[in-house]
Amino acid sequence: MNSLQGRRILVTGAGSGIGRAAARLFRDRGADLILAGRHLDTLRDTLPDAVHVVLDHSDDAAVAAYARECPELDGMFLNAGGLVLGSVASTSTADFDAAIAVNLRGPWLMAHHLASRLKDGGSVVLVGSNIGLRAIPDSAAYSVAKAGVHMLAKVLALEWAPRRIRCNAIAPGPIRTAMVDARLAASADPEGDLAALSAVNPLGRLGTEAEVAALAAHLLGGESGWTTGAVIPLDGGADAVY
Protein backbone atom coordinates (compact mmCIF):
# COMPACT_ATOMS: atom_id res chain seq x y z
CA MET A 1 0.00 0.00 0.00
CA ASN A 2 1.34 3.42 -0.98
CA SER A 3 -1.55 5.59 0.22
CA LEU A 4 0.86 8.24 1.54
CA GLN A 5 3.23 8.19 -1.42
CA GLY A 6 5.20 11.43 -1.69
CA ARG A 7 3.38 13.16 1.15
CA ARG A 8 5.54 15.06 3.63
CA ILE A 9 4.22 14.34 7.13
CA LEU A 10 5.46 15.66 10.47
CA VAL A 11 5.12 13.28 13.44
CA THR A 12 5.48 14.47 17.04
CA GLY A 13 6.42 12.10 19.83
CA ALA A 14 8.11 9.98 17.17
CA GLY A 15 10.82 8.57 19.41
CA SER A 16 8.74 5.81 21.01
CA GLY A 17 5.39 4.08 21.30
CA ILE A 18 2.55 5.06 19.01
CA GLY A 19 4.62 7.79 17.34
CA ARG A 20 7.39 5.35 16.44
CA ALA A 21 4.94 2.75 15.10
CA ALA A 22 3.12 5.41 13.08
CA ALA A 23 6.31 6.84 11.60
CA ARG A 24 7.44 3.41 10.43
CA LEU A 25 4.05 2.62 8.90
CA PHE A 26 3.85 6.01 7.17
CA ARG A 27 7.32 5.38 5.71
CA ASP A 28 6.22 1.96 4.47
CA ARG A 29 3.27 3.64 2.75
CA GLY A 30 5.49 6.06 0.89
CA ALA A 31 5.57 9.19 3.07
CA ASP A 32 8.50 11.58 3.44
CA LEU A 33 8.85 12.09 7.17
CA ILE A 34 9.90 14.77 9.64
CA LEU A 35 10.21 13.24 13.10
CA ALA A 36 9.94 15.58 16.08
CA GLY A 37 10.65 14.82 19.71
CA ARG A 38 12.76 15.73 22.70
CA HIS A 39 15.64 13.29 22.14
CA LEU A 40 17.68 12.97 18.96
CA ASP A 41 18.88 9.45 19.73
CA THR A 42 15.37 7.99 19.97
CA LEU A 43 14.29 9.78 16.78
CA ARG A 44 17.26 8.23 14.97
CA ASP A 45 16.34 4.83 16.38
CA THR A 46 12.84 5.20 14.92
CA LEU A 47 14.02 5.95 11.38
CA PRO A 48 17.67 6.85 10.83
CA ASP A 49 17.06 8.20 7.32
CA ALA A 50 14.20 10.60 8.20
CA VAL A 51 14.55 14.31 8.98
CA HIS A 52 14.94 14.70 12.77
CA VAL A 53 13.87 17.78 14.75
CA VAL A 54 14.58 18.10 18.46
CA LEU A 55 11.57 20.06 19.66
CA ASP A 56 9.56 20.65 22.81
CA HIS A 57 6.12 21.11 21.29
CA SER A 58 4.86 22.90 24.42
CA ASP A 59 7.48 25.67 24.09
CA ASP A 60 5.94 28.59 22.21
CA ALA A 61 9.23 30.20 21.19
CA ALA A 62 10.73 26.88 20.07
CA VAL A 63 7.72 25.95 17.91
CA ALA A 64 7.59 29.46 16.42
CA ALA A 65 11.29 29.27 15.56
CA TYR A 66 10.87 25.86 13.94
CA ALA A 67 7.91 27.12 11.89
CA ARG A 68 10.19 29.66 10.22
CA GLU A 69 12.35 26.85 8.78
CA CYS A 70 9.79 24.09 8.35
CA PRO A 71 9.17 23.04 4.74
CA GLU A 72 5.68 22.73 3.31
CA LEU A 73 3.71 19.86 4.81
CA ASP A 74 0.99 17.60 3.50
CA GLY A 75 0.05 16.48 6.97
CA MET A 76 0.84 16.25 10.68
CA PHE A 77 0.35 13.47 13.21
CA LEU A 78 0.32 15.30 16.55
CA ASN A 79 0.85 12.41 18.89
CA ALA A 80 3.16 13.65 21.67
CA GLY A 81 1.64 13.58 25.14
CA GLY A 82 2.02 12.22 28.63
CA LEU A 83 -0.09 10.59 31.30
CA VAL A 84 -0.65 12.43 34.59
CA LEU A 85 -2.57 10.47 37.24
CA GLY A 86 -4.60 11.77 40.18
CA SER A 87 -7.93 13.24 41.20
CA VAL A 88 -8.74 16.95 41.16
CA ALA A 89 -8.10 17.01 44.91
CA SER A 90 -4.77 15.17 44.75
CA THR A 91 -3.30 16.73 41.59
CA SER A 92 -1.05 19.69 42.28
CA THR A 93 -1.36 22.86 40.24
CA ALA A 94 2.09 22.16 38.82
CA ASP A 95 1.05 18.68 37.68
CA PHE A 96 -2.16 20.05 36.18
CA ASP A 97 -0.17 22.67 34.27
CA ALA A 98 2.22 19.97 33.05
CA ALA A 99 -0.68 17.81 31.84
CA ILE A 100 -2.20 20.71 29.92
CA ALA A 101 1.18 21.72 28.48
CA VAL A 102 2.21 18.36 27.06
CA ASN A 103 -1.24 17.16 26.00
CA LEU A 104 -3.11 20.29 24.87
CA ARG A 105 -0.82 23.32 24.66
CA GLY A 106 1.57 21.33 22.45
CA PRO A 107 -0.88 20.48 19.67
CA TRP A 108 -2.38 23.96 19.94
CA LEU A 109 1.03 25.53 19.34
CA MET A 110 1.82 23.18 16.47
CA ALA A 111 -1.48 24.08 14.80
CA HIS A 112 -1.06 27.78 15.53
CA HIS A 113 2.47 28.15 14.21
CA LEU A 114 2.51 25.53 11.43
CA ALA A 115 -0.87 26.14 9.79
CA SER A 116 0.83 28.34 7.22
CA ARG A 117 3.18 25.48 6.34
CA LEU A 118 0.30 23.09 5.57
CA LYS A 119 -0.62 22.70 1.93
CA ASP A 120 -4.22 23.25 0.93
CA GLY A 121 -5.95 19.87 0.95
CA GLY A 122 -3.72 18.52 3.70
CA SER A 123 -4.68 16.48 6.75
CA VAL A 124 -3.88 16.67 10.47
CA VAL A 125 -4.53 13.95 13.05
CA LEU A 126 -4.47 14.62 16.79
CA VAL A 127 -4.20 11.93 19.46
CA GLY A 128 -6.76 12.28 22.23
CA SER A 129 -7.98 9.52 24.55
CA ASN A 130 -11.14 7.62 25.30
CA ILE A 131 -10.93 9.03 28.84
CA GLY A 132 -11.27 12.43 27.24
CA LEU A 133 -14.72 11.17 26.22
CA ARG A 134 -15.77 9.80 29.61
CA ALA A 135 -14.50 10.28 33.14
CA ILE A 136 -12.72 7.57 35.11
CA PRO A 137 -11.19 7.80 38.60
CA ASP A 138 -7.74 9.30 39.15
CA SER A 139 -7.12 10.73 35.67
CA ALA A 140 -8.61 14.19 36.12
CA ALA A 141 -5.99 16.45 34.54
CA TYR A 142 -5.25 14.03 31.70
CA SER A 143 -8.94 13.59 30.92
CA VAL A 144 -9.54 17.35 30.85
CA ALA A 145 -6.53 17.90 28.59
CA LYS A 146 -7.54 15.18 26.14
CA ALA A 147 -11.13 16.45 26.04
CA GLY A 148 -9.60 19.75 24.98
CA VAL A 149 -7.69 17.96 22.22
CA HIS A 150 -10.96 16.56 20.88
CA MET A 151 -12.54 20.02 20.73
CA LEU A 152 -9.36 21.43 19.18
CA ALA A 153 -9.75 18.94 16.31
CA LYS A 154 -13.32 20.13 15.72
CA VAL A 155 -12.34 23.81 15.87
CA LEU A 156 -9.47 23.30 13.43
CA ALA A 157 -11.68 21.31 11.06
CA LEU A 158 -14.03 24.30 10.91
CA GLU A 159 -11.33 26.95 10.62
CA TRP A 160 -9.31 25.08 7.99
CA ALA A 161 -12.26 23.93 5.87
CA PRO A 162 -11.93 26.84 3.38
CA ARG A 163 -8.45 25.51 2.58
CA ARG A 164 -9.74 21.90 2.40
CA ILE A 165 -7.40 20.96 5.25
CA ARG A 166 -8.98 18.21 7.31
CA CYS A 167 -8.47 17.66 11.03
CA ASN A 168 -9.56 14.64 13.04
CA ALA A 169 -8.75 13.12 16.42
CA ILE A 170 -8.23 9.51 17.47
CA ALA A 171 -9.34 8.62 21.01
CA PRO A 172 -7.47 5.42 21.95
CA GLY A 173 -8.25 3.25 24.93
CA PRO A 174 -5.46 1.36 26.74
CA ILE A 175 -2.69 0.58 24.25
CA ARG A 176 0.06 -2.02 24.83
CA THR A 177 3.13 0.22 24.80
CA ALA A 178 6.55 -0.12 26.41
CA MET A 179 5.36 2.32 29.08
CA VAL A 180 2.41 0.06 29.94
CA ASP A 181 4.70 -2.99 29.98
CA ALA A 182 7.07 -1.22 32.38
CA ARG A 183 4.20 -0.36 34.73
CA LEU A 184 2.97 -3.94 34.62
CA ALA A 185 6.46 -5.30 35.29
CA ALA A 186 6.69 -3.13 38.40
CA SER A 187 3.32 -4.33 39.68
CA ALA A 188 2.88 -6.89 42.45
CA ASP A 189 0.37 -8.71 40.23
CA PRO A 190 1.24 -8.09 36.55
CA GLU A 191 -1.13 -10.73 35.17
CA GLY A 192 -4.02 -9.54 37.32
CA ASP A 193 -3.43 -5.91 36.41
CA LEU A 194 -3.24 -6.76 32.71
CA ALA A 195 -6.48 -8.72 32.94
CA ALA A 196 -8.21 -5.84 34.72
CA LEU A 197 -6.97 -3.32 32.18
CA SER A 198 -8.05 -5.56 29.31
CA ALA A 199 -11.51 -6.12 30.80
CA VAL A 200 -12.54 -2.47 30.46
CA ASN A 201 -13.62 -3.04 26.85
CA PRO A 202 -15.88 -5.66 25.23
CA LEU A 203 -13.09 -7.10 23.06
CA GLY A 204 -11.20 -7.99 26.22
CA ARG A 205 -7.69 -6.98 25.24
CA LEU A 206 -5.42 -3.97 24.97
CA GLY A 207 -5.04 -2.20 21.66
CA THR A 208 -1.77 -2.15 19.77
CA GLU A 209 0.41 0.67 18.55
CA ALA A 210 0.00 -0.70 15.02
CA GLU A 211 -3.79 -0.34 15.22
CA VAL A 212 -3.53 3.34 16.15
CA ALA A 213 -0.95 3.87 13.41
CA ALA A 214 -3.20 2.25 10.81
CA LEU A 215 -6.14 4.53 11.64
CA ALA A 216 -3.86 7.56 11.56
CA ALA A 217 -2.54 6.54 8.13
CA HIS A 218 -6.10 6.22 6.84
CA LEU A 219 -7.02 9.68 8.13
CA LEU A 220 -3.89 11.24 6.63
CA GLY A 221 -4.52 9.65 3.24
CA GLY A 222 -6.81 10.66 0.43
CA GLU A 223 -9.25 7.79 0.95
CA SER A 224 -10.63 9.62 4.02
CA GLY A 225 -11.15 12.84 2.07
CA TRP A 226 -14.67 13.50 3.40
CA THR A 227 -13.79 12.86 7.06
CA THR A 228 -13.09 15.95 9.14
CA GLY A 229 -13.98 17.17 12.60
CA ALA A 230 -14.36 13.58 13.81
CA VAL A 231 -13.27 12.17 17.16
CA ILE A 232 -12.94 8.43 16.60
CA PRO A 233 -12.86 6.07 19.59
CA LEU A 234 -10.29 3.28 19.19
CA ASP A 235 -10.91 1.38 22.39
CA GLY A 236 -12.31 -2.07 21.75
CA GLY A 237 -15.87 -0.83 22.12
CA ALA A 238 -15.56 0.68 25.60
CA ASP A 239 -17.02 4.02 24.56
CA ALA A 240 -20.02 2.33 22.96
CA VAL A 241 -20.80 0.19 26.00
CA TYR A 242 -19.88 2.34 28.97
Side-chain angles (χ1 to χ4, degrees), residues 129-149:
S129 171
N130 74 329
I131 60 173
L133 297 171
R134 58 186 179 89
I136 67 170
D138 295 321
S139 297
Y142 183 76
S143 293
V144 168
K146 290 300 191 178
V149 170

Side-chain angles (χ1 to χ4, degrees), residues 9-14 16-23 26 36 57 75-83 99-108 110-111 123-133 141-154 156 160 166-175 177 179 208-220 230-235:
I9 296 173
L10 185 150
V11 180
T12 65
S16 63
I18 292 169
R20 173 170 287 180
F26 300 167
H57 74 158
M76 295 192 292
F77 181 51
L78 302 182
N79 156 76
L83 181 63
I100 295 297
V102 71
N103 292 297
L104 180 55
R105 176 182 168 91
W108 174 285
M110 297 295 287
S123 179
V124 173
V125 177
L126 312 183
V127 176
S129 171
N130 74 329
I131 60 173
L133 297 171
Y142 183 76
S143 293
V144 168
K146 290 300 191 178
V149 170
H150 300 162
M151 183 52 68
L152 178 60
K154 293 177 179 290
L156 292 174
W160 289 343
R166 298 179 296 110
C167 187
N168 296 284
I170 301 172
I175 302 298
T177 63
M179 183 184 301
T208 69
E209 296 166 351
E211 287 168 326
V212 183
L215 180 54
H218 169 71
L219 293 170
L220 289 166
V231 178
I232 303 174
L234 188 65
D235 61 4

Side-chain angles (χ1 to χ4, degrees), residues 9-238:
I9 296 173
L10 185 150
V11 180
T12 65
S16 63
I18 292 169
R20 173 170 287 180
R24 290 173 174 173
L25 178 63
F26 300 167
R27 185 272 316 274
D28 291 345
R29 295 194 179 183
D32 296 323
L33 293 173
I34 300 173
L35 305 185
R38 292 173 180 263
H39 305 290
L40 183 59
D41 57 341
T42 60
L43 297 176
R44 286 174 171 165
D45 286 344
T46 295
L47 288 175
D49 55 348
V51 175
H52 307 117
V53 177
V54 177
L55 181 67
D56 177 355
H57 74 158
S58 68
D59 184 326
D60 186 23
V63 178
Y66 175 65
R68 291 192 287 271
E69 63 186 51
C70 180
E72 282 193 322
L73 301 170
D74 296 285
M76 295 192 292
F77 181 51
L78 302 182
N79 156 76
L83 181 63
V84 176
L85 298 176
S87 66
V88 173
S90 67
T91 300
S92 68
T93 301
D95 284 345
F96 174 78
D97 289 344
I100 295 297
V102 71
N103 292 297
L104 180 55
R105 176 182 168 91
W108 174 285
L109 290 175
M110 297 295 287
H112 174 73
H113 288 297
L114 293 175
S116 63
R117 308 311 304 149
L118 286 167
K119 295 179 183 177
D120 290 359
S123 179
V124 173
V125 177
L126 312 183
V127 176
S129 171
N130 74 329
I131 60 173
L133 297 171
R134 58 186 179 89
I136 67 170
D138 295 321
S139 297
Y142 183 76
S143 293
V144 168
K146 290 300 191 178
V149 170
H150 300 162
M151 183 52 68
L152 178 60
K154 293 177 179 290
V155 169
L156 292 174
L158 179 64
E159 293 187 359
W160 289 343
R163 295 179 55 196
R164 295 177 293 104
I165 297 172
R166 298 179 296 110
C167 187
N168 296 284
I170 301 172
I175 302 298
R176 191 74 183 259
T177 63
M179 183 184 301
V180 169
D181 284 342
R183 290 178 62 190
L184 290 171
S187 167
D189 182 14
E191 291 187 6
D193 287 350
L194 177 59
L197 195 57
S198 300
V200 302
N201 64 73
L203 293 186
R205 66 170 176 85
L206 302 189
T208 69
E209 296 166 351
E211 287 168 326
V212 183
L215 180 54
H218 169 71
L219 293 170
L220 289 166
E223 64 269 27
S224 60
W226 211 44
T227 304
T228 193
V231 178
I232 303 174
L234 188 65
D235 61 4

